[in-house]
Short mmCIF file of all heavy atoms in Angstrom, two decimals:
data_model
loop_
_atom_site.label_atom_id
_atom_site.label_comp_id
_atom_site.label_asym_id
_atom_site.label_seq_id
_atom_site.Cartn_x
_atom_site.Cartn_y
_atom_site.Cartn_z
N THR A 692 -10.72 -31.87 -38.41
CA THR A 692 -10.18 -32.61 -37.27
C THR A 692 -10.36 -34.12 -37.40
O THR A 692 -9.39 -34.88 -37.27
CB THR A 692 -10.80 -32.10 -35.96
OG1 THR A 692 -10.47 -30.72 -35.78
CG2 THR A 692 -10.28 -32.88 -34.77
N PRO A 693 -11.59 -34.64 -37.66
CA PRO A 693 -11.72 -36.10 -37.81
C PRO A 693 -10.98 -36.65 -39.02
O PRO A 693 -10.48 -37.78 -38.98
CB PRO A 693 -13.23 -36.32 -37.91
CG PRO A 693 -13.79 -35.02 -38.35
CD PRO A 693 -12.90 -33.97 -37.77
N VAL A 694 -10.92 -35.87 -40.10
CA VAL A 694 -10.21 -36.33 -41.30
C VAL A 694 -8.73 -36.51 -40.99
O VAL A 694 -8.11 -37.53 -41.35
CB VAL A 694 -10.40 -35.33 -42.47
CG1 VAL A 694 -9.52 -35.71 -43.65
CG2 VAL A 694 -11.86 -35.29 -42.90
N ILE A 695 -8.15 -35.51 -40.31
CA ILE A 695 -6.74 -35.60 -39.93
C ILE A 695 -6.51 -36.75 -38.96
O ILE A 695 -5.51 -37.46 -39.03
CB ILE A 695 -6.26 -34.26 -39.33
CG1 ILE A 695 -6.28 -33.16 -40.40
CG2 ILE A 695 -4.86 -34.39 -38.75
CD1 ILE A 695 -5.98 -31.78 -39.88
N ALA A 696 -7.46 -36.96 -38.04
CA ALA A 696 -7.34 -38.05 -37.07
C ALA A 696 -7.30 -39.40 -37.79
O ALA A 696 -6.51 -40.28 -37.43
CB ALA A 696 -8.50 -38.01 -36.09
N VAL A 697 -8.14 -39.57 -38.81
CA VAL A 697 -8.15 -40.82 -39.58
C VAL A 697 -6.83 -41.00 -40.32
O VAL A 697 -6.24 -42.10 -40.29
CB VAL A 697 -9.33 -40.83 -40.57
CG1 VAL A 697 -9.22 -42.01 -41.53
CG2 VAL A 697 -10.66 -40.88 -39.83
N LEU A 698 -6.36 -39.94 -40.96
CA LEU A 698 -5.11 -40.03 -41.72
C LEU A 698 -3.93 -40.36 -40.80
O LEU A 698 -3.07 -41.17 -41.14
CB LEU A 698 -4.86 -38.71 -42.46
CG LEU A 698 -5.83 -38.38 -43.59
CD1 LEU A 698 -5.53 -37.01 -44.17
CD2 LEU A 698 -5.78 -39.45 -44.67
N LEU A 699 -3.89 -39.73 -39.63
CA LEU A 699 -2.83 -40.01 -38.67
C LEU A 699 -2.90 -41.45 -38.17
O LEU A 699 -1.88 -42.12 -38.00
CB LEU A 699 -2.89 -39.03 -37.49
CG LEU A 699 -2.49 -37.58 -37.79
CD1 LEU A 699 -2.76 -36.70 -36.57
CD2 LEU A 699 -1.02 -37.50 -38.18
N GLY A 700 -4.13 -41.91 -37.91
CA GLY A 700 -4.31 -43.29 -37.47
C GLY A 700 -3.81 -44.29 -38.50
O GLY A 700 -3.12 -45.27 -38.17
N VAL A 701 -4.15 -44.04 -39.77
CA VAL A 701 -3.71 -44.92 -40.85
C VAL A 701 -2.19 -44.84 -41.01
O VAL A 701 -1.52 -45.86 -41.23
CB VAL A 701 -4.41 -44.53 -42.18
CG1 VAL A 701 -3.81 -45.30 -43.35
CG2 VAL A 701 -5.91 -44.81 -42.08
N LEU A 702 -1.64 -43.63 -40.89
CA LEU A 702 -0.20 -43.45 -41.04
C LEU A 702 0.58 -44.22 -39.96
O LEU A 702 1.53 -44.96 -40.27
CB LEU A 702 0.15 -41.97 -40.97
CG LEU A 702 1.64 -41.61 -41.03
CD1 LEU A 702 2.25 -42.08 -42.35
CD2 LEU A 702 1.85 -40.11 -40.85
N VAL A 703 0.18 -44.05 -38.71
CA VAL A 703 0.86 -44.74 -37.63
C VAL A 703 0.64 -46.25 -37.75
O VAL A 703 1.55 -47.05 -37.50
CB VAL A 703 0.37 -44.23 -36.26
CG1 VAL A 703 1.02 -45.02 -35.12
CG2 VAL A 703 0.66 -42.75 -36.10
N GLY A 704 -0.56 -46.65 -38.16
CA GLY A 704 -0.83 -48.07 -38.37
C GLY A 704 0.06 -48.65 -39.45
O GLY A 704 0.53 -49.80 -39.34
N THR A 705 0.30 -47.87 -40.50
CA THR A 705 1.19 -48.30 -41.58
C THR A 705 2.61 -48.50 -41.06
O THR A 705 3.28 -49.49 -41.41
CB THR A 705 1.19 -47.25 -42.72
OG1 THR A 705 -0.15 -47.09 -43.20
CG2 THR A 705 2.09 -47.70 -43.85
N ILE A 706 3.05 -47.57 -40.24
CA ILE A 706 4.40 -47.68 -39.67
C ILE A 706 4.51 -48.95 -38.82
O ILE A 706 5.52 -49.68 -38.88
CB ILE A 706 4.72 -46.44 -38.82
CG1 ILE A 706 4.81 -45.20 -39.72
CG2 ILE A 706 6.03 -46.63 -38.04
CD1 ILE A 706 4.93 -43.89 -38.97
N ILE A 707 3.47 -49.23 -38.04
CA ILE A 707 3.48 -50.45 -37.21
C ILE A 707 3.55 -51.69 -38.08
O ILE A 707 4.28 -52.65 -37.77
CB ILE A 707 2.22 -50.49 -36.31
CG1 ILE A 707 2.28 -49.36 -35.27
CG2 ILE A 707 2.09 -51.85 -35.62
CD1 ILE A 707 1.02 -49.23 -34.44
N MET A 708 2.80 -51.70 -39.20
CA MET A 708 2.85 -52.85 -40.11
C MET A 708 4.27 -53.05 -40.66
O MET A 708 4.79 -54.17 -40.68
CB MET A 708 1.90 -52.62 -41.29
CG MET A 708 0.44 -52.84 -40.99
SD MET A 708 -0.52 -52.75 -42.51
CE MET A 708 -2.15 -52.47 -41.84
N ILE A 709 4.89 -51.96 -41.11
CA ILE A 709 6.22 -52.06 -41.72
C ILE A 709 7.24 -52.53 -40.69
O ILE A 709 8.07 -53.41 -40.96
CB ILE A 709 6.63 -50.69 -42.31
CG1 ILE A 709 5.71 -50.33 -43.49
CG2 ILE A 709 8.09 -50.72 -42.77
CD1 ILE A 709 5.90 -48.94 -44.03
N VAL A 710 7.17 -51.95 -39.48
CA VAL A 710 8.11 -52.35 -38.42
C VAL A 710 7.91 -53.82 -38.06
O VAL A 710 8.87 -54.53 -37.73
CB VAL A 710 7.91 -51.46 -37.18
CG1 VAL A 710 8.71 -51.99 -35.98
CG2 VAL A 710 8.32 -50.03 -37.48
N SER A 711 6.66 -54.29 -38.16
CA SER A 711 6.37 -55.69 -37.82
C SER A 711 6.71 -56.65 -38.95
O SER A 711 6.53 -57.86 -38.80
CB SER A 711 4.88 -55.83 -37.46
OG SER A 711 4.54 -55.00 -36.36
N GLY A 712 7.16 -56.11 -40.08
CA GLY A 712 7.60 -56.95 -41.17
C GLY A 712 6.52 -57.30 -42.18
O GLY A 712 6.71 -58.21 -43.00
N TYR A 713 5.40 -56.59 -42.17
CA TYR A 713 4.31 -56.86 -43.11
C TYR A 713 4.34 -55.88 -44.27
O TYR A 713 4.85 -54.75 -44.15
CB TYR A 713 2.96 -56.77 -42.41
CG TYR A 713 2.76 -57.81 -41.33
CD1 TYR A 713 2.71 -57.45 -39.98
CD2 TYR A 713 2.63 -59.15 -41.65
CE1 TYR A 713 2.54 -58.39 -38.98
CE2 TYR A 713 2.45 -60.11 -40.66
CZ TYR A 713 2.41 -59.72 -39.33
OH TYR A 713 2.24 -60.66 -38.35
N ASP A 714 3.77 -56.29 -45.38
CA ASP A 714 3.67 -55.45 -46.56
C ASP A 714 2.42 -54.58 -46.42
O ASP A 714 1.29 -55.07 -46.57
CB ASP A 714 3.58 -56.32 -47.82
CG ASP A 714 3.60 -55.51 -49.11
OD1 ASP A 714 3.33 -54.30 -49.06
OD2 ASP A 714 3.90 -56.10 -50.16
N ALA A 715 2.61 -53.30 -46.14
CA ALA A 715 1.48 -52.40 -45.88
C ALA A 715 0.62 -52.22 -47.12
O ALA A 715 -0.61 -52.17 -47.03
CB ALA A 715 1.99 -51.04 -45.39
N ILE A 716 1.26 -52.13 -48.30
CA ILE A 716 0.49 -51.94 -49.54
C ILE A 716 -0.40 -53.15 -49.79
O ILE A 716 -1.59 -53.01 -50.12
CB ILE A 716 1.44 -51.71 -50.74
CG1 ILE A 716 2.21 -50.39 -50.56
CG2 ILE A 716 0.65 -51.69 -52.04
CD1 ILE A 716 3.23 -50.12 -51.64
N ALA A 717 0.16 -54.33 -49.61
CA ALA A 717 -0.64 -55.55 -49.80
C ALA A 717 -1.76 -55.63 -48.78
O ALA A 717 -2.88 -56.08 -49.09
CB ALA A 717 0.26 -56.78 -49.68
N ALA A 718 -1.49 -55.17 -47.55
CA ALA A 718 -2.50 -55.21 -46.49
C ALA A 718 -3.67 -54.30 -46.82
O ALA A 718 -4.84 -54.70 -46.71
CB ALA A 718 -1.87 -54.80 -45.16
N TYR A 719 -3.37 -53.08 -47.25
CA TYR A 719 -4.44 -52.14 -47.56
C TYR A 719 -5.18 -52.53 -48.84
O TYR A 719 -6.38 -52.27 -48.97
CB TYR A 719 -3.90 -50.71 -47.66
CG TYR A 719 -3.55 -50.12 -46.31
CD1 TYR A 719 -2.27 -49.69 -46.03
CD2 TYR A 719 -4.52 -50.04 -45.31
CE1 TYR A 719 -1.95 -49.15 -44.79
CE2 TYR A 719 -4.21 -49.51 -44.07
CZ TYR A 719 -2.93 -49.07 -43.81
OH TYR A 719 -2.62 -48.55 -42.57
N THR A 720 -4.47 -53.14 -49.77
CA THR A 720 -5.14 -53.64 -50.98
C THR A 720 -6.13 -54.74 -50.62
O THR A 720 -7.27 -54.76 -51.11
CB THR A 720 -4.10 -54.18 -51.98
OG1 THR A 720 -3.19 -53.14 -52.34
CG2 THR A 720 -4.80 -54.71 -53.24
N ALA A 721 -5.70 -55.64 -49.74
CA ALA A 721 -6.58 -56.71 -49.28
C ALA A 721 -7.76 -56.15 -48.49
O ALA A 721 -8.89 -56.64 -48.61
CB ALA A 721 -5.80 -57.70 -48.42
N LEU A 722 -7.48 -55.14 -47.70
CA LEU A 722 -8.55 -54.48 -46.92
C LEU A 722 -9.60 -53.88 -47.85
O LEU A 722 -10.81 -54.07 -47.65
CB LEU A 722 -7.94 -53.40 -46.03
CG LEU A 722 -8.91 -52.56 -45.17
CD1 LEU A 722 -9.54 -53.43 -44.10
CD2 LEU A 722 -8.18 -51.39 -44.53
N TRP A 723 -9.13 -53.18 -48.87
CA TRP A 723 -10.06 -52.57 -49.83
C TRP A 723 -10.87 -53.64 -50.59
O TRP A 723 -12.08 -53.53 -50.73
CB TRP A 723 -9.30 -51.69 -50.82
CG TRP A 723 -10.17 -51.11 -51.89
CD1 TRP A 723 -10.41 -51.62 -53.13
CD2 TRP A 723 -10.96 -49.92 -51.78
NE1 TRP A 723 -11.29 -50.82 -53.82
CE2 TRP A 723 -11.65 -49.77 -53.02
CE3 TRP A 723 -11.17 -48.98 -50.79
CZ2 TRP A 723 -12.50 -48.71 -53.27
CZ3 TRP A 723 -12.02 -47.91 -51.04
CH2 TRP A 723 -12.68 -47.79 -52.26
N ASN A 724 -10.16 -54.67 -51.05
CA ASN A 724 -10.84 -55.74 -51.79
C ASN A 724 -11.88 -56.45 -50.91
O ASN A 724 -12.93 -56.86 -51.39
CB ASN A 724 -9.83 -56.76 -52.30
CG ASN A 724 -8.95 -56.20 -53.41
OD1 ASN A 724 -9.32 -55.23 -54.08
ND2 ASN A 724 -7.77 -56.79 -53.60
N GLY A 725 -11.56 -56.60 -49.62
CA GLY A 725 -12.46 -57.28 -48.72
C GLY A 725 -13.67 -56.46 -48.33
O GLY A 725 -14.66 -56.99 -47.82
N ALA A 726 -13.60 -55.14 -48.58
CA ALA A 726 -14.73 -54.26 -48.25
C ALA A 726 -15.52 -53.83 -49.49
O ALA A 726 -16.75 -53.77 -49.45
CB ALA A 726 -14.23 -53.03 -47.50
N PHE A 727 -14.81 -53.52 -50.57
CA PHE A 727 -15.49 -52.95 -51.75
C PHE A 727 -15.09 -53.63 -53.06
O PHE A 727 -15.48 -53.16 -54.14
CB PHE A 727 -15.17 -51.45 -51.86
CG PHE A 727 -15.50 -50.69 -50.61
CD1 PHE A 727 -14.49 -50.24 -49.76
CD2 PHE A 727 -16.82 -50.43 -50.25
CE1 PHE A 727 -14.79 -49.54 -48.60
CE2 PHE A 727 -17.13 -49.74 -49.09
CZ PHE A 727 -16.11 -49.29 -48.26
N GLY A 728 -14.33 -54.72 -52.99
CA GLY A 728 -13.87 -55.36 -54.21
C GLY A 728 -14.91 -56.24 -54.89
O GLY A 728 -14.70 -56.69 -56.02
#
Side-chain angles (χ1 to χ4, degrees):
T692 299
V694 173
I695 294 174
V697 171
L698 293 176
L699 289 174
V701 172
L702 177 61
V703 177
T705 301
I706 294 172
I707 293 174
M708 283 188 199
I709 294 172
V710 171
S711 301
Y713 296 111
D714 186 341
I716 295 177
Y719 286 121
T720 301
L722 178 68
W723 176 266
N724 291 338
F727 305 106

